[in-house]
């Protein structure tokens, strides 16, 4: 009950209208036991929430059916008066650093292997180095507010300093690193990060997934993948990535509607134009290949973290296809990233 209340206080102080979800389905607690402390089970959490609702500490309780999976969990809001309650600063740690989701995006259990144990050890070492690093943000738009940093309506939480890997539907799909608060900072503000009183730089891969996709087809990308006559480059970039991640044509076209003012014919035309520009890889579009490419870029990220942080002790903050490091480590980072890309494209082409 104390932990639920502490979480409710923190949530009320950040956004009193945001709902907090939890499951009342016993099967969920069994399948996801790996990701929680043993004290948190169906038999402890559900009665605790019910008691706190009855006490008026949690309100607006939305109960969902407990007997079957509906995809929507039960939820509640913290009572408004909790926002004015003082509470000790919470330390958020990640219990499980290697996470597996099923095809529907739900966390699922798994048996440890030599590989999962090796991956967990690497993430632990990286997190230890990050935890020993003083990370600050000197952006003129950043406003410190207790244990949060606000950018207008956008809020980030600096206590989130532990990375973890998430695989999606299998050990060869996804695998990206999440959990670091710097990943929620917008790109224009990330240039203001300071690590141990040192200025930083961010280096990213240009057109990474298009380049990997071409490597998968045994081809080489020439020019800008996102430039198409008659279309804005930003729209084309979004569309290209939608085509990589969609599992079907109709899903892709539907996802593009919000980017073309709801015009279904324009969405279809944009897809057609992208395919015409990239005939050598068109067969991969809207096949869900994006998760395979994510696994490749995640392994590239692993290589960078292993070489830079674990072997050389250089703190690296990963942002999926880019990395933030102290300015002095810029050249070394670029060389390591080039090596990671070279290895990845060779492996993809061989496969």
């Amino acid at each position: 009950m104390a932990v639920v209340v502490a979480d409710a206080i923190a949530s009320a102080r950040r956004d009193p209208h945001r709902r907090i979800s939890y499951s009342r389905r016993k099967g969920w607690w069994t399948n996801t036991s790996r990701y929680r402390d043993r004290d948190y089970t169906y038999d402890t959490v559900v009665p605790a929430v019910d008691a706190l609702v009855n006490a008026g500490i949690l309100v607006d309780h939305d109960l969902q059916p407990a007997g079957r999976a509906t995809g929507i969990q039960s939820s509640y809001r913290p009572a408004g008066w909790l926002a004015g309650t003082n509470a000790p600063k919470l330390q958020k740690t990640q219990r499980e650093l290697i996470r597996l989701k099923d095809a529907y995006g739900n966390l699922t259990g798994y048996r440890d292997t030599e590989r999962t144990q090796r991956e967990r050890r690497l993430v632990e070492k990286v997190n230890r180095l990050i935890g020993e690093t003083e990370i600050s943000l000197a952006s003129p738009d950043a406003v410190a507010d207790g244990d949060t940093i606000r950018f207008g309506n956008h809020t980030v939480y600096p206590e989130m300093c532990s990375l973890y890997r998430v695989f999606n539907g299998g050990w060869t799909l996804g695998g990206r690193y999440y959990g670091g608060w710097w990943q929620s900072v917008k790109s224009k503000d990330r240039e203001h990060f300071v690590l141990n009183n040192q200025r930083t730089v961010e280096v990213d891969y240009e057109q990474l997934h298009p380049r990997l996709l071409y490597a998968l087809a045994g081809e080489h990308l020439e020019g800008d993948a996102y430039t198409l006559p008659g279309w804005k480059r930003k729209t084309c970039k979004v569309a290209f990535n939608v085509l990589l991640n969609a599992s079907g044509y109709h899903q892709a076209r539907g996802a593009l509607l919000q980017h073309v003012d709801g015009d279904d014919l324009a969405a279809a035309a944009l897809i057609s134009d992208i395919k015409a520009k990239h005939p050598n890889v068109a067969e991969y579009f809207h096949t869900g290949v994006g998760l395979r490419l994510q696994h490749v870029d995640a392994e590239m990220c692993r290589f960078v973290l292993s070489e830079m942080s674990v072997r050389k002790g250089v703190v690296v903050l990963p942002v999926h296809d880019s990395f933030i490091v102290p300015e002095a480590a810029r050249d070394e980072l670029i060389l390591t990233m080039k090596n990671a890309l070279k290895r990845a494209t060779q492996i993809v082409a061989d496969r």
Side-chain angles (χ1 to χ4, degrees):
M1 289 177 114
V3 171
V4 173
V5 172
D7 176 68
I9 292 173
S11 183
R13 294 173 68 179
R14 293 169 181 171
D15 183 355
H17 301 292
R18 174 176 290 181
R19 304 190 67 81
I20 301 171
S21 68
Y22 74 105
S23 180
R24 297 183 74 93
R25 187 170 62 86
K26 287 187 176 181
W28 183 89
W29 292 92
T30 301
N31 293 338
T32 61
S33 59
R34 166 181 286 277
Y35 306 101
R36 295 185 312 280
D37 187 280
R38 294 180 181 178
D39 289 336
Y40 301 91
T41 67
Y42 175 87
D43 294 323
T44 60
V45 174
V46 171
V49 170
D50 289 343
L52 293 168
V53 169
N54 291 334
I57 295 174
L58 308 178
V59 298
D60 195 13
H61 195 199
D62 180 21
L63 285 170
Q64 294 294 320
R68 58 189 178 84
T70 63
I72 303 175
Q73 292 186 333
S74 299
S75 62
Y76 53 82
R77 289 189 301 104
W81 56 268
L82 287 177
T85 304
N86 292 324
K89 185 176 180 179
L90 302 180
Q91 295 291 331
K92 182 170 183 177
T93 58
Q94 304 295 346
R95 173 171 171 78
E96 179 52 73
L97 303 180
I98 306 300
R99 306 183 181 190
L100 178 64
K101 291 185 176 182
D102 60 22
Y104 302 100
N106 302 310
L107 287 171
T108 185
Y110 62 87
R111 290 185 179 181
D112 266 320
T113 64
E114 181 180 346
R115 179 192 175 187
T116 59
Q117 292 171 346
R118 182 175 63 250
E119 295 303 321
R120 190 176 296 110
R121 287 193 298 268
L122 186 143
V123 180
E124 287 173 347
K125 292 177 181 178
V126 172
N127 282 341
R128 193 175 304 121
L129 180 61
I130 293 175
E132 296 169 351
T133 302
E134 181 183 347
I135 305 174
S136 57
L137 186 61
S139 170
D141 298 325
V143 178
D145 183 10
D147 57 353
T148 68
I149 297 177
R150 299 185 183 277
F151 303 86
N153 295 327
H154 180 58
T155 303
V156 297
Y157 309 103
E159 77 272 15
M160 299 173 62
C161 288
S162 295
L163 294 171
Y164 56 89
R165 293 192 75 176
V166 179
F167 294 85
N168 307 84
W171 297 111
T172 60
L173 301 173
R176 281 182 166 178
Y177 293 79
Y178 296 95
W181 69 278
W182 55 88
Q183 296 174 334
S184 299
V185 176
K186 295 181 179 179
S187 59
K188 69 181 181 66
D189 296 303
R190 290 201 297 265
E191 64 184 63
H192 299 288
F193 270 109
V194 178
L195 303 179
N196 288 335
N197 297 317
Q198 300 179 62
R199 291 169 57 92
T200 63
V201 294
E202 181 177 3
V203 183
D204 68 342
Y205 287 106
E206 294 184 358
Q207 305 186 86
L208 179 58
H209 276 198
R211 293 162 76 180
L212 293 177
L213 183 66
Y214 269 75
L216 184 63
E219 303 285 346
H220 179 72
L221 174 65
E222 299 289 349
D224 185 0
Y226 307 131
T227 298
L228 274 173
W231 298 98
K232 294 181 180 179
R233 186 182 187 279
K234 184 177 181 180
T235 302
C236 293
K237 182 176 181 179
V238 170
F240 194 100
N241 285 285
V242 165
L243 288 175
L244 291 182
N245 292 293
S247 57
Y249 175 80
H250 295 291
Q251 182 188 58
R253 191 167 67 179
L256 286 177
L257 289 178
Q258 61 179 309
H259 304 287
V260 290
D261 299 325
D263 188 335
D264 189 64
L265 293 178
L270 179 54
I271 293 174
S272 178
D273 288 350
I274 290 177
K275 287 182 176 179
K277 179 178 176 64
H278 301 284
N280 293 336
V281 296
E283 65 181 288
Y284 293 100
F285 289 139
H286 48 76
T287 65
V289 72
L291 281 178
R292 292 170 61 190
L293 300 181
Q294 277 189 24
H295 182 66
V296 177
D297 74 49
E299 289 298 290
M300 292 168 61
C301 180
R302 183 193 188 282
F303 178 83
V304 172
L305 293 175
S306 178
E307 291 294 306
M308 295 286 291
S309 295
V310 177
R311 290 189 60 216
K312 300 174 182 177
V314 177
V315 62
V316 177
L317 305 182
V319 193
H320 306 319
D321 62 352
S322 69
F323 303 90
I324 300 169
V325 296
E327 279 185 331
R330 178 182 182 277
D331 292 343
E332 192 169 13
L333 172 64
I334 291 175
L335 179 60
T336 305
M337 290 174 63
K338 286 181 177 179
N339 289 337
L341 179 61
K342 182 178 179 181
R343 287 162 50 95
T345 51
Q346 287 178 342
I347 292 173
V348 168
D350 288 344
R351 287 177 179 173

